[in-house]
């Protein structure tokens, strides 16, 4: 039957007037009452099968087809995509870290070391660390300067962390959390002070031991390398640049006299860059000591010790004289920025 239908369609295709007659209602209802739908379907199917490509000599144009298809495939490689982007949009601007802060020179540059300072060979109270109380005045503190000149990126991450903690703990819970962190830091510094001070000067409170036992265990390997403590929780003031601060400790670390800054952290900070602005703080204290008449010595090195509550070994970050000088220049720029704003 299929052969008969195909012959019929060929016949109708040759004579278009008969094809028009086929679709007239009177004709197809009379002649093909049950097969009009099938005939129409066969006609449509036949049109789909007929393709102009089948009449092309495929062997003749095989090489052309292969070259076109292979070009399309190779054009989708990353290299060619970058080439097309360069032609359309130009060369991409590569991100480069700004070195303005590193290369910029402070307007009011002051040396980290005070060449005019007279150093005594033997201090009158060499066995007793200095402990000068902080007298608040109109001078800005190192902490205040660093807080008010924080970079937008650092301020953004700090605020995001704060909002995250508030969502988890609530406002009251976050306030309690920050209060506890502050108290733990105070207890930790007091415990260290009781270790470094002579027995008659120590004022250690036994009730604080449990709160800071993990931190003390964390710094045990660092304490073994510390000797000749010269100052503890002592105020410093830069007489020329007019700023002040409170130094945690000044002592020798592996034979080098350092300003030591004790930090507590809940997260590991194995690298100096993980301590954010702490190196600038240490450099600022070094410069202040060297230009403060209350101290008969000068310091050229720094040490940041990050202690952990769980007792994991603390990370000591030593700052040699060259590194201290680099951060001293950065501190001077931040101080200038603060003075310009105020």
């Amino acid at each position: 039957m299929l052969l008969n239908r195909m012959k019929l369609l060929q016949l109708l295709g040759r004579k278009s007037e008969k094809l028009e007659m086929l679709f007239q209602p009177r004709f197809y209802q009379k002649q093909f009452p049950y097969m009009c739908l099938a005939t129409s379907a066969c006609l449509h199917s036949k049109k789909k099968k007929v393709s102009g490509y089948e009449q092309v000599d495929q062997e003749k144009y095989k090489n052309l087809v292969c070259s076109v298809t292979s070009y399309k495939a190779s054009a989708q490689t990353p290299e060619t995509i970058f080439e097309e982007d360069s032609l359309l949009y130009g060369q991409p601007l590569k991100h480069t870290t700004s070195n303005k802060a590193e290369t910029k020179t402070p307007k009011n540059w002051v040396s980290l070391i005070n060449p005019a300072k007279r150093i005594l060979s033997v201090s009158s109270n060499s066995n007793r660390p200095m402990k000068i109380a902080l007298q608040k005045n109109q001078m800005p503190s190192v902490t205040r300067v660093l807080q008010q000149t924080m970079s937008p990126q650092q301020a953004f991450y700090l605020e995001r962390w704060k909002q995250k903690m508030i969502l988890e703990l609530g406002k009251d819970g976050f306030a309690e959390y920050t209060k506890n962190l502050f108290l733990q830091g105070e207890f930790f510094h007091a415990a260290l002070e009781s270790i470094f001070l002579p027995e008659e000067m120590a004022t250690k409170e036994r009730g604080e031991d449990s709160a800071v036992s993990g931190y003390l265990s964390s710094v045990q390997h660092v304490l073994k390398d510390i000797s000749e403590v010269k100052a503890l929780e002592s105020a410093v003031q830069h007489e020329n640049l007019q700023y002040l601060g409170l130094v945690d400790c000044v002592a020798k670390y592996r034979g080098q006299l350092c300003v030591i800054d004790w930090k507590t952290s809940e997260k590991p900070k194995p690298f100096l860059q993980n301590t954010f602005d702490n190196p600038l703080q240490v450099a600022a204290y070094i410069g202040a000591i060297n230009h403060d008449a209350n101290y008969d010595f000068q310091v050229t090195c720094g040490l940041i010790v990050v202690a952990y509550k769980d007792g994991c070994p603390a990370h000591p970050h030593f700052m040699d004289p060259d590194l201290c000088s680099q951060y001293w220049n950065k501190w001077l720029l931040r101080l200038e920025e603060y003075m310009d704003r105020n």
Side-chain angles (χ1 to χ4, degrees), residues 273-296:
Q273 57 264 33
N274 299 138
T275 61
F276 303 107
D277 283 341
N278 293 150
L280 278 76
Q281 185 178 21
V282 169
Y285 291 155
I286 293 174
I289 288 175
N290 294 341
H291 291 80
D292 191 329
N294 292 314
Y295 299 90
D296 58 0

Side-chain angles (χ1 to χ4, degrees), residues 49-65:
K49 290 181 179 179
V50 175
S51 174
Y53 290 108
E54 295 179 358
Q55 302 175 4
V56 176
D57 188 350
Q58 297 184 11
E59 189 66 27
K60 179 179 180 180
Y61 296 103
K62 181 173 68 173
N63 294 335
L64 176 61
V65 173

Side-chain angles (χ1 to χ4, degrees), residues 111-115 117 119 230 249-253 255-260 279 282-291 297-303 317-328:
S111 174
L112 179 64
I113 304 299
N114 185 0
K117 192 170 188 178
I119 307 299
K230 291 184 174 294
C249 179
V250 179
K252 285 188 177 181
Y253 173 73
Q256 298 284 339
L257 188 62
C258 300
V259 164
I260 303 175
V282 169
Y285 291 155
I286 293 174
I289 288 175
N290 294 341
H291 291 80
F297 53 85
Q298 297 207 68
V299 184
T300 58
C301 300
L303 179 69
H317 302 293
F318 178 73
M319 298 168 58
D320 61 22
D322 290 338
L323 195 57
C324 288
S325 295
Q326 294 177 27
Y327 282 105
W328 171 248

Side-chain angles (χ1 to χ4, degrees), residues 216-267:
L216 292 176
S217 298
S218 179
V219 299
Q220 285 304 310
H221 67 290
V222 180
L223 297 179
K224 295 176 182 178
D225 294 323
I226 293 178
S227 62
E228 299 184 33
V229 180
K230 291 184 174 294
L232 285 172
E233 296 291 329
S234 190
V236 294
Q237 176 179 315
H238 199 294
E239 297 170 354
N240 296 337
L241 297 177
Q242 295 292 292
Y243 69 85
L244 51 79
L246 190 66
V247 176
D248 287 349
C249 179
V250 179
K252 285 188 177 181
Y253 173 73
R254 297 180 178 177
Q256 298 284 339
L257 188 62
C258 300
V259 164
I260 303 175
D261 201 23
W262 305 100
K263 298 295 181 184
T264 59
S265 176
E266 295 181 346
K267 294 182 179 180

Side-chain angles (χ1 to χ4, degrees), residues 6 73 81 89 140 149 155 162 173 186-189 230 249 252 277 312 330:
M6 293 178 65
I81 290 175
Y89 309 111
T149 58
K162 179 181 176 181
E186 277 195 339
F187 293 157
F188 177 51
H189 283 78
K230 291 184 174 294
C249 179
K252 285 188 177 181
D277 283 341
C312 288
K330 294 179 181 181

